[in-house]
Amino acid sequence: MSVLDFFRSRQADSVTGGKAAGGVCAALDVGSSKIACFIARTDQTVSGPRPRVVGVGHQSSRGVRAGAVVDMDAAAEAIRAAVEQAERMASQAVSSVTVTLSSGQPSSTRIAAEIDLPQREVTERELRRLLDGALSEFDAEDRVVLHAIPLSWAVDDHRGIRDPRGMFGRTLGVEVHVITAAIGPLRNLLTCVERCHFDLRGVVATPYASGLSALADDEVQLGATLIDMGAGATTAAVFAEGALLHIDAVPVGGSHVTSDVARGLSTPLAAAERLKTLYGSALDSPEDDQQMIEVPSVSGENGAMYDSAPRSLLNSIIRPRLEETFELIRDRLDAAGVGKSSGRRLVLTGGGAQMPGAGELAARVFGKQVRIAGPTGVTGLGDAVSGPAFSAVAGIVRRETRGAAEAISGPPRMGGFTVAARRNRAEAGSAGSMWRWFAESF
């Protein structure tokens, strides 16, 4: 059992751990096209705790563009409506929610730290002291830390250790993956949640949440890249050796494809979205030139009129935008040096992944084995909410049930790690306080 699994097991027995063990949790995905809420309970099964969704609510998104809030009142109203719909279905009111975040230019940073071992033996106290010191030194101007995930430990010259407890040596080191986001978009999102009179349980980066739901355990261990194709942004996460190694995002998504179609075919946005959904494809077909589709014209004085266009024209508009998006993600991951760590597996999820031919096009661009994935590991999902578009919100439910494998969890601290570090040092006076800190942190 790894040290992170150990802390998860401690957290499962802790009331202060942030998990909803035996209770209720609410997950909220605030996207550019939809706002979705899942309310879940935890069932104890032979294989361990398993989340069961008892309430679902989703609304067309309002006041959100490219994953960021642009109209506070409209966004708050849509959030409130989605949560109330889920509450009615679950016959259960919720007071706190965990939300996803895809805006704010999420980025990854790795930090390393090392301490001496006065007693020569690694104990939980040394783990806490090392993480406390590493995170208190980290500072990113105008950015907020969302996650801090320990990747590996080192004792003296022995690196890549998963569980250093009980080992002997002179020094103890750790490498931590820190995920940050711009403070402005995050503060706007949190303000909307507060206007709905909900407490914030936590914030999870969208590709991280989607990966927890859409990836198989073997993919997380052996290496895989996950791409969440949203309406306003496309986000990516690289997993390997059982941990999240890197995340990135580009502000291009399905809504940009819709805009391209609307301009290219001179049709309203609503009609462009319908044409894209019903007839669009990322690949060419020999029959595309012969298949004609009706294209509503932009309304004029005489009302709506219809033109006709070959399906090949529609697909010739869709394909370049999707190809550009995949190439942007590929180049950014290669520049970050995580291309080789991601293995040969690529998993597409999110609403945009349902576009016919998207998987084949991604395989051409990345040169990887590609599959389309929806949420797994969660029971109680109906057919309408079991598709790739709901992977992120289902991933939050899984995270709340299993516990967060993070050195910092809970609501983001707008002032950085300083407050958290002072609080942790103040709590370090007793063994009970130390275990409470670990339960909150992992």
Side-chain angles (χ1 to χ4, degrees):
M1 180 173 63
S2 72
V3 67
L4 295 182
D5 293 333
F6 170 78
F7 290 133
R8 280 173 173 161
S9 67
R10 294 291 305 190
Q11 188 178 7
D13 299 327
S14 172
V15 176
T16 61
K19 282 175 56 179
V24 175
C25 70
L28 184 67
D29 180 23
V30 181
S32 301
S33 64
K34 72 176 188 318
I35 295 177
C37 176
F38 282 1
I39 298 177
R41 297 181 184 275
T42 302
D43 293 333
Q44 297 300 328
T45 67
V46 176
S47 58
R50 188 176 181 87
R52 175 170 53 90
V53 174
V54 295
V56 172
H58 54 93
Q59 300 281 324
S60 296
S61 186
R62 300 188 296 276
V64 181
R65 184 180 304 157
V69 175
V70 295
D71 186 328
M72 288 280 193
D73 293 334
E77 182 181 352
I79 290 172
R80 190 181 301 109
V83 177
E84 288 178 353
Q85 184 181 359
E87 288 177 329
R88 286 194 298 270
M89 181 176 175
S91 299
Q92 170 78 50
V94 296
S95 59
S96 61
V97 296
T98 302
V99 302
T100 62
L101 180 73
S102 57
S103 62
Q105 300 172 334
S107 64
S108 293
T109 304
R110 293 195 188 186
I111 60 175
E114 187 177 89
I115 60 171
D116 294 328
L117 295 172
Q119 305 300 322
R120 301 298 184 188
E121 181 181 2
V122 180
T123 65
E124 284 84 4
R125 182 181 182 86
E126 274 67 44
L127 300 184
R128 183 205 60 78
R129 183 162 65 93
L130 176 58
L131 288 172
D132 187 3
L135 299 179
S136 63
E137 296 293 329
F138 181 80
D139 182 31
E141 186 177 359
D142 295 329
R143 298 185 69 82
V144 178
V145 174
L146 299 181
H147 310 286
I149 305 172
L151 297 179
S152 65
W153 308 82
V155 177
D156 293 342
D157 296 329
H158 303 286
R159 302 189 177 276
I161 297 173
R162 300 292 295 176
D163 185 354
R165 292 176 295 116
M167 300 184 69
F168 290 83
R170 298 183 304 274
T171 61
L172 174 66
V174 68
E175 184 180 20
V176 183
H177 176 201
V178 180
I179 299 172
T180 63
I183 191 171
L186 176 59
R187 191 180 293 276
N188 292 336
L189 176 61
L190 303 191
T191 300
C192 285
V193 173
E194 292 173 357
R195 286 190 179 186
C196 298
H197 306 290
F198 296 120
D199 294 328
L200 184 68
R201 193 186 191 99
V203 177
V204 184
T206 295
Y208 182 24
S210 296
L212 295 176
S213 171
L215 292 180
D217 292 340
D218 285 344
E219 289 174 328
V220 175
Q221 188 63 40
L222 299 176
T225 299
L226 177 131
I227 297 180
D228 189 304
M229 303 177 66
T234 301
T235 56
V238 176
F239 292 80
E241 298 182 359
L244 174 64
L245 301 184
H246 185 81
I247 72 167
D248 210 332
V250 293
V252 183
S255 62
H256 297 82
V257 177
T258 301
S259 296
D260 291 346
V261 172
R263 293 189 181 96
L265 299 181
S266 297
T267 191
L269 285 171
E273 179 67 25
R274 181 176 177 274
L275 292 172
K276 181 187 76 172
T277 303
L278 294 179
Y279 306 108
S281 175
L283 297 179
D284 293 324
S285 171
E287 295 80 18
D288 287 346
D289 286 329
Q290 286 74 38
Q291 184 177 0
M292 304 298 291
I293 57 178
E294 289 188 341
V295 179
S297 300
V298 176
S299 298
E301 294 181 358
N302 297 326
M305 296 185 299
Y306 289 86
D307 295 324
S308 61
R311 187 183 179 191
S312 59
L313 177 58
L314 172 65
N315 294 339
S316 69
I317 297 172
I318 293 174
R319 185 176 57 258
R321 176 66 81 171
L322 288 181
E323 193 170 23
E324 175 196 28
T325 304
F326 288 139
E327 289 174 348
L328 284 172
I329 291 289
R330 180 199 61 192
D331 294 344
R332 292 177 69 92
L333 295 181
D334 288 342
V338 294
K340 295 182 179 179
S341 303
S342 61
R344 294 281 301 164
R345 297 288 290 178
L346 176 65
V347 177
L348 299 183
T349 192
Q354 300 174 96
M355 170 70 67
E360 291 82 352
L361 182 61
R364 293 180 184 177
V365 173
F366 284 88
K368 296 178 182 286
Q369 300 172 356
V370 178
R371 72 179 181 93
I372 312 298
T376 60
V378 179
T379 61
L381 293 179
D383 293 340
V385 293
S386 60
F390 294 89
S391 292
V393 64
I396 291 180
V397 171
R398 291 201 68 185
R399 178 179 179 269
E400 292 292 306
T401 303
R402 297 192 307 174
E406 302 162 21
I408 292 294
S409 61
R413 299 168 177 88
M414 295 299 180
F417 281 113
T418 306
V419 175
R422 285 201 299 266
R423 182 190 67 184
N424 293 331
R425 284 194 289 269
E427 290 181 352
S430 67
S433 296
M434 182 179 68
W435 282 119
R436 282 197 301 272
W437 185 88
F438 275 120
E440 291 175 354
S441 300
F442 291 89

